Amino acid sequence: MANNDDLLKKIIAHAKEYGFIFPSSEIYDGLSAVYDYAQYGVELKNNIKQYWWRSMVQLHENIVGIDSAIFMHPAIWKASGHVDAFNDPLIDNKDSKKRYRADVLIEDYLQKIEDKLEKEIEKAKKRFDNFDETLYRQTNERAVGYQKKIDEITENFAKLMNGNDLAGIKQMIEELEITCPVSGTKNWTDVRQFNLMFSTQMGSVSEDADTIYLRPETAQGIFVNFSNVYKTGRMKIPFGIAQIGKAFRNEIVARQFIFRMREFEQMEMQFFVRPGEELKWFDFWKQERMKWHHALGIAPENYRFHDHEKLAHYANAATDIEFKFPFGFKELEGIHSRTDYDLTQHEKYSGKKLRYFDPETNESYVPYVIETSIGVDRMFLAIFSNACREEKLEDGTVRTLLCLPPVLAPVKVAVLPLVKKDGLPEKAREIMDMLKPHYLCQYDEKDAIGRRYRRQDAIGTPYCVTVDNQTMEDNTVTIRERDSMQQKRVTISELNNFLSL
Ligand code: GAP
């Protein structure tokens, strides 16, 4: 079986070969952690965004959407805490001159012990089944030892990170004898804090220049528009404001393909509630968001909650929805009860009141906020990696398949004349014209029909409509379903009904 690295490599290769994702600036050797979405990638990405927008904004009468600017007043990032506290601890290796996230070095070290632990557990199971008592005991003891080490390191590491103890983190790296993957040495610099925001200058002459930031989250654009939306939209609490947009973070460690990017997109929703009711709404959104994921038909065991024990200073509850990516369970979406922290901070820094007058209680207050925040690119990776398969067929051949949920597939229908003669291409074109106002369709007449089916399988097209000689006689076509490969004959007039996804 392919290991996790091989699996991820296959997914990256598939994304490139079939026109989903290209490395950015590839002809100049690329730009680290920046990617371009190609012809099918952009369709899948747009479908993900639309699917989210529809379920959040269209299906919830008390949620509206906005599209705020990427550039915002620099004071916003001071108020939100990003200028002072949006940092990662970094460390350099003096020999290779390579820079690492100090916490990631320790996490990778822990992962290696966890891998060893898993192997020992596997071995112990086999030895138990084979009644190999002595060997079973030995493996079991090793497993217990690994678990103890993991628990110790995890506990100390959490203390150091929570206490912002940079010297302690360096000491831990030295004590664990972690080496630089490039130079192989332990010649480390001190650990320093590194702010993740990109900055640039605004102003036509340099003397007027003012440092502004590329937003690291879309959420602040919602908070600073709270009053505008509440008043112009005549919103009544509880209500939400949703937004999809680009965010930028100068990630030190760029890896795992589009999982951690420097330029990415977020789909965020801030839900404003009465103070004291926030935990009820936190639970509501926790369940609601998990339902949204499950509705896409991916096996539920690929998702799990990870409740935060240590909370950010502004939160009184937080959880992640984790997905089983090719490299293990990792955060896909975050759900936070952010209290009244952001609005209160913006009141303080802007000097403007950000209050809601509650006609039911006759009170004015700063609402509390539940946030749901999911990365579009991470969602893309979750869907894409789950869908990417190789299937052995009865005739011994292997077909490459992208089992995308039909609602998200880039091309919904391919229209294929069986042969390039006898009026079949013209008939197929008529069907294309009938379907393309409703779905993104693709016409293909090149190569044998089997090869054309394979091409569509590899880009995840759920249905292929084939026009053959019988079509010319009775106006029927075959519809081939991607996953089962089963074919069904339907009349052309029934097609639209049949395909409505
Ligand atoms: N407003 C809250 C916020 O930004 P976050 O946990 O830092 O919280 C939310 O980010 C989501 O954005 C994550 O769950 C992830 O899906 C996505 N995300 C964060 N950083 C990312 C990155 N560097 N590349 C891709 N997606 C990222």
Side-chain angles (χ1 to χ4, degrees):
M1 210 176 83
N3 67 30
N4 293 348
D5 280 351
D6 289 344
L7 207 60
L8 186 62
K9 275 187 198 144
K10 273 194 173 179
I11 287 160
I12 298 170
H14 191 101
K16 186 167 176 213
E17 186 179 343
Y18 291 98
F20 283 85
I21 297 178
F22 302 142
S24 162
S25 324
E26 198 185 7
I27 59 169
Y28 291 94
D29 296 332
L31 186 65
S32 175
V34 186
Y35 290 91
D36 295 340
Y37 284 84
Q39 64 276 18
Y40 297 123
V42 69
E43 296 294 340
L44 173 54
K45 193 180 186 202
N46 283 342
N47 290 342
I48 290 173
K49 289 194 273 187
Q50 204 178 59
Y51 184 72
W52 183 87
W53 190 266
R54 284 218 175 120
S55 74
M56 296 304 260
V57 178
Q58 192 171 322
L59 296 183
H60 290 97
E61 292 172 32
N62 57 350
I63 299 181
V64 292
I66 62 165
D67 182 15
S68 69
I70 288 172
F71 291 146
M72 294 198 278
H73 196 288
I76 288 171
W77 304 111
K78 192 82 191 142
S80 67
H82 284 84
V83 170
D84 297 319
F86 195 51
N87 299 321
D88 275 343
L90 70 83
I91 191 165
D92 291 358
N93 182 270
K94 290 183 199 163
D95 299 320
S96 67
K97 310 274 183 268
K98 286 273 172 202
R99 179 163 288 176
Y100 299 94
R101 255 176 72 176
D103 55 331
V104 171
L105 283 178
I106 295 172
E107 277 167 14
D108 284 351
Y109 181 86
L110 272 169
Q111 186 61 50
K112 279 189 196 138
I113 314 180
E114 274 167 24
D115 292 346
K116 282 187 193 161
L117 171 66
E118 231 169 75
K119 276 194 193 133
E120 291 301 332
I121 291 173
E122 274 303 308
K123 261 197 235 163
K125 266 191 212 146
K126 276 193 198 136
R127 287 171 176 179
F128 185 80
D129 292 344
N130 296 339
F131 305 106
D132 209 339
E133 206 182 323
T134 322
L135 286 177
Y136 165 72
R137 236 188 244 128
Q138 283 170 2
T139 10
N140 205 29
E141 268 166 27
R142 272 201 297 274
V144 170
Y146 284 137
Q147 188 61 58
K148 209 169 143 209
K149 197 166 177 190
I150 291 170
D151 291 346
E152 265 172 31
I153 299 174
T154 310
E155 196 187 327
N156 287 341
F157 179 45
K159 268 191 210 144
L160 296 172
M161 287 296 286
N162 294 338
N164 219 358
D165 183 351
L166 301 184
I169 294 172
K170 180 177 182 194
Q171 199 182 338
M172 182 174 241
I173 289 174
E174 285 171 342
E175 280 169 8
L176 296 175
E177 303 196 334
I178 295 175
T179 54
C180 166
V182 177
S183 67
T185 70
K186 296 173 230 157
N187 197 6
W188 297 109
T189 62
D190 286 341
V191 178
R192 283 160 296 143
Q193 289 290 22
F194 177 78
N195 193 285
L196 296 180
M197 282 197 295
F198 284 100
S199 62
T200 186
Q201 253 65 46
M202 189 177 254
S204 51
V205 279
S206 58
E207 299 90 82
D208 293 335
D210 209 343
T211 299
I212 56 165
Y213 300 98
L214 297 187
R215 65 182 179 197
E217 61 170 14
T218 63
Q220 298 304 324
I222 295 179
F223 292 126
V224 297
N225 277 299
F226 163 75
S227 280
N228 284 340
V229 174
Y230 143 53
K231 286 175 187 153
T232 57
R234 295 183 298 120
M235 308 305 290
K236 290 212 166 46
I237 259 175
F239 73 88
I241 305 178
Q243 162 151 248
I244 299 177
K246 289 261 181 175
F248 304 82
R249 294 183 190 177
N250 199 359
E251 301 282 0
I252 301 165
V253 183
R255 56 178 190 173
Q256 290 159 334
F257 194 31
I258 54 170
F259 182 82
R260 197 174 300 287
M261 301 162 87
R262 298 206 164 103
E263 175 182 341
F264 59 100
E265 249 180 304
Q266 289 184 315
M267 305 187 280
E268 299 203 295
M269 193 276 299
Q270 312 295 326
F271 198 70
F272 300 92
V273 304
R274 248 181 220 151
E277 292 190 356
E278 70 276 11
L279 293 180
K280 176 183 91 182
W281 286 110
F282 173 75
D283 282 337
F284 171 85
W285 280 109
K286 209 175 140 176
Q287 303 314 326
E288 193 75 358
R289 290 304 303 149
M290 192 57 109
K291 271 195 240 156
W292 182 83
H293 287 283
H294 287 174
L296 280 169
I298 293 175
E301 55 269 24
N302 287 306
Y303 301 88
R304 70 180 187 197
F305 285 117
H306 171 234
D307 293 333
H308 294 204
E309 276 160 32
K310 162 88 177 116
L311 296 168
H313 59 283
Y314 53 78
N316 64 1
T319 196
D320 292 337
I321 293 179
E322 292 187 338
F323 183 78
K324 197 170 180 195
F325 287 98
F327 33 83
F329 271 102
K330 297 269 175 212
E331 177 185 344
L332 170 60
E333 169 158 9
I335 300 158
H336 283 82
S337 172
R338 288 180 80 131
T339 66
D340 57 353
Y341 175 80
D342 300 88
L343 290 179
T344 307
Q345 284 293 99
H346 289 306
E347 271 201 340
K348 201 164 111 193
Y349 277 76
S350 68
K352 309 280 181 335
K353 287 260 174 280
L354 297 175
R355 311 252 154 156
Y356 173 81
F357 176 74
D358 196 327
E360 281 179 34
T361 60
N362 249 351
E363 273 176 316
S364 215
Y365 52 77
V366 178
Y368 273 47
V369 173
I370 309 302
E371 170 185 74
T372 71
S373 174
I374 176 169
V376 178
D377 314 85
R378 255 182 222 187
M379 183 64 191
F380 187 112
L381 183 59
I383 296 288
F384 194 84
S385 58
N386 182 269
C388 219
R389 307 205 180 147
E390 274 179 355
E391 205 179 74
K392 199 155 185 194
L393 301 179
E394 276 173 11
D395 63 4
T397 58
V398 174
R399 75 163 175 153
T400 303
L401 181 65
L402 208 53
C403 268
L404 295 170
V407 65
L408 301 181
V411 177
K412 299 285 192 264
V413 194
V415 183
L416 318 170
L418 189 62
V419 288
K420 263 196 275 181
K421 57 181 185 183
D422 301 335
L424 301 193
E426 290 74 16
K427 192 74 184 168
R429 282 275 172 213
E430 274 174 35
I431 295 172
M432 272 294 285
D433 290 342
M434 180 184 99
L435 296 178
K436 75 186 177 194
H438 308 285
Y439 319 101
L440 189 70
C441 306
Q442 204 168 71
Y443 175 84
D444 190 4
E445 59 177 26
K446 192 171 176 294
D447 297 324
I449 191 75
R451 288 188 73 174
R452 282 182 270 166
Y453 284 152
R454 293 289 177 278
R455 277 203 287 271
Q456 296 301 329
D457 289 343
I459 62 166
T461 307
Y463 298 108
C464 289
V465 169
T466 306
V467 175
D468 54 19
N469 288 323
Q470 193 181 328
T471 313
M472 308 306 281
E473 289 162 18
D474 63 5
N475 265 332
T476 62
V477 288
T478 59
I479 296 186
R480 172 192 180 266
E481 199 269 329
R482 179 195 62 202
D483 301 346
S484 64
M485 292 190 288
Q486 280 185 353
Q487 302 196 11
K488 201 177 162 195
R489 224 164 167 105
V490 298
T491 61
I492 293 174
S493 57
E494 280 174 322
L495 262 182
N496 250 327
N497 249 354
F498 185 91
L499 293 172
S500 52
L501 302 163

